[in-house]
Amino acid sequence: MKKYHTVIVGAGPAGLACATMLAQAGREVLVLERRNRVGPKVCAGGITWSGLKQRLPEDLLQKAFPDQHIRTPWQQTAISAGQPLVSTVSREELGQWQLDQARAAGARILSSTAVGRLAADHLEAGGETFGFRYLVGADGSGSKVRQYLGLPTLTVGVGVNCFVPGNFMRMEWHLDPYYFNNGYAWVFPHREYAAIGAYASRLTTRPLVLQKNFRRWADKHGIYLGAAKMTAALINYDFRGWRFGNFFLTGDAAGLASPLTGEGIYPAIISGEEAARTILDPAYRAPQLDALLVRHRHHRRLVAFTGANRLACRLTLEGLVLALRVGLLPFTALEMAG
Ligand SMILES: Cc1cc2nc3c(=O)[nH]c(=O)nc-3n(C[C@H](O)[C@H](O)[C@H](O)COP(=O)(O)OP(=O)(O)OC[C@H]3O[C@@H](n4cnc5c(N)ncnc54)[C@H](O)[C@@H]3O)c2cc1C
């Protein structure tokens, strides 16, 4: 049995961020990924300026938007800033870039290798057994590592997305409780297509209802989805801890995506890095993760409150957009970066 300092399950943004940092510090790291290619994932690829945008090379950005067009049943507005508030990235390109970083740092990445049985100091994957001192669960919303730790996953969001070809010029957010309760639909333009989709908490909206309402919403607004394939996935926001002895949970496996917006790439990368720093120095206090958790709690409370009552939901969303319009609330309040 080959033994590693750290084994990481999942080569998404969280796993690769963690692997890169540990390998840069000279630790022997193995990343196990069940898919045959790193990167592709059901995702709209929106990243925020104060979050990830600053950390990525310019050529990874597809399009950047200083204006955010927001629409509710009662209001239609554009929130503007001198700098881009939100940009888009291709998950394929982000994944391949992170993969290069992790490999260059010295991490070993095995794709087409699903993790099977887990134990306290070893696991089975691809017909082999790998030992570890630390194990990082970066295996997304259906995390096997989380299941091994016995943590339930009760509060999750549902996201649906289509990639629609064309040159779209406006980044749009549609907050319409009639279709999405306290969730929303988006149009996030990339270079040659737009990610058009919707997010809602599963507590208020079942996945099939979301899919149906998304199509009805698109019809109502004259948004032509054509033959674009609709994909759907869960987004775990049921945070119940991230550090469990020599086991760590990061990103969606830890339930760190925003309950309000479903933003999860930034939390994944920050938590992957903070887990790495904690493995390197157990006395490390993880301040960036703490800041993220403050945002997470605020977003979770807002989702619980608005999810309990349709009228409260409608009034809160309208109030939120009004506060954005008159400048009482900055757009960054909706982001996971503090
Ligand atoms: C429709 C939709 C739209 C979204 N849009 C956005 C957006 O615009 N911006 C944003 O910030 N977030 C968005 N998100 C959320 C975002 O995609 C996730 O929060 C983010 O990918 C989480 O990263 P992660 O590394 O934790 O997990 P993942 O990206 O899910 O990576 C987990 C990896 O683990 C692998 N894996 C799983 N199980 C095993 C196993 N047993 N063995 C080996 N490997 C395994 C998977 O194959 C995967 O590669 C969206 C989500 C959805 C569903």
Side-chain angles (χ1 to χ4, degrees), residues 10 13-14 33-34 41-46 91 115 138-139 235 251-252 264-265:
E33 168 56 49
R34 70 177 171 195
K41 154 92 179 68
V42 179
C43 184
R91 284 297 300 262
V115 168
D139 46 346
I235 307 173
D252 279 9
I265 305 173

Side-chain angles (χ1 to χ4, degrees), residues 21-56:
M21 196 164 264
L22 286 171
Q24 279 168 347
R27 303 302 185 271
E28 208 179 354
V29 181
L30 173 69
V31 183
L32 298 166
E33 168 56 49
R34 70 177 171 195
R35 295 216 181 105
N36 62 2
R37 183 156 176 85
V38 168
K41 154 92 179 68
V42 179
C43 184
I47 57 163
T48 52
W49 172 270
S50 38
L52 272 189
K53 153 81 180 66
Q54 319 255 19
R55 304 161 137 253
L56 300 179

Side-chain angles (χ1 to χ4, degrees), residues 14-264:
L16 292 173
C18 185
T20 302
M21 196 164 264
L22 286 171
Q24 279 168 347
R27 303 302 185 271
E28 208 179 354
V29 181
L30 173 69
V31 183
L32 298 166
E33 168 56 49
R34 70 177 171 195
R35 295 216 181 105
N36 62 2
R37 183 156 176 85
V38 168
K41 154 92 179 68
V42 179
C43 184
I47 57 163
T48 52
W49 172 270
S50 38
L52 272 189
K53 153 81 180 66
Q54 319 255 19
R55 304 161 137 253
L56 300 179
E58 203 65 28
D59 61 355
L60 266 192
L61 303 181
Q62 295 261 320
K63 281 188 177 169
F65 296 90
D67 298 336
Q68 301 299 312
H69 295 265
I70 306 179
R71 191 164 177 163
T72 68
W74 296 345
Q75 303 173 74
Q76 194 167 349
T77 188
I79 309 294
S80 301
Q83 61 193 26
L85 289 167
V86 184
S87 306
T88 48
V89 291
S90 140
R91 284 297 300 262
E92 164 105 29
E93 290 175 13
L94 174 67
Q96 290 295 308
W97 178 77
Q98 281 195 291
L99 179 66
D100 289 346
Q101 305 273 310
R103 283 208 173 117
R108 182 177 180 213
I109 291 104
L110 287 182
S111 52
S112 304
T113 311
V115 168
R117 220 170 55 80
L118 285 162
D121 61 356
H122 66 275
L123 56 75
E124 287 170 14
E128 282 187 71
T129 303
F130 300 99
F132 52 78
R133 193 159 150 207
Y134 297 99
L135 184 82
V136 177
D139 46 346
S141 289
S143 172
K144 212 174 179 85
V145 180
R146 185 181 174 104
Q147 280 166 30
Y148 173 80
L149 290 167
L151 302 177
T153 304
L154 303 179
T155 51
V156 288
V158 191
V160 297
N161 191 60
C162 296
F163 289 121
V164 180
N167 186 17
F168 293 77
M169 303 308 290
R170 280 166 39 136
M171 181 162 261
E172 297 177 23
W173 308 71
H174 293 246
L175 283 60
D176 190 336
Y178 178 73
Y179 294 108
F180 310 117
N181 208 293
N182 51 11
Y184 66 105
W186 60 77
V187 178
F188 286 0
H190 292 235
R191 282 186 203 122
E192 285 156 11
Y193 55 87
I196 303 181
Y199 166 83
S201 168
R202 200 175 57 181
L203 293 177
T204 60
T205 313
R206 280 178 291 121
L208 281 178
V209 172
L210 182 68
Q211 288 181 26
K212 203 173 84 195
N213 285 356
F214 170 61
R215 287 207 181 277
R216 289 169 63 204
W217 161 83
D219 285 349
K220 180 184 164 192
H221 291 279
I223 295 174
Y224 180 64
L225 300 173
K229 186 174 158 216
M230 194 194 300
T231 51
L234 297 179
I235 307 173
N236 176 22
Y237 64 83
D238 196 349
F239 177 74
R240 291 171 190 257
W242 61 281
R243 193 177 174 176
F244 306 86
N246 66 328
F247 277 54
F248 291 80
L249 290 178
T250 56
D252 279 9
L256 283 167
S258 163
L260 186 63
T261 64
E263 178 190 357

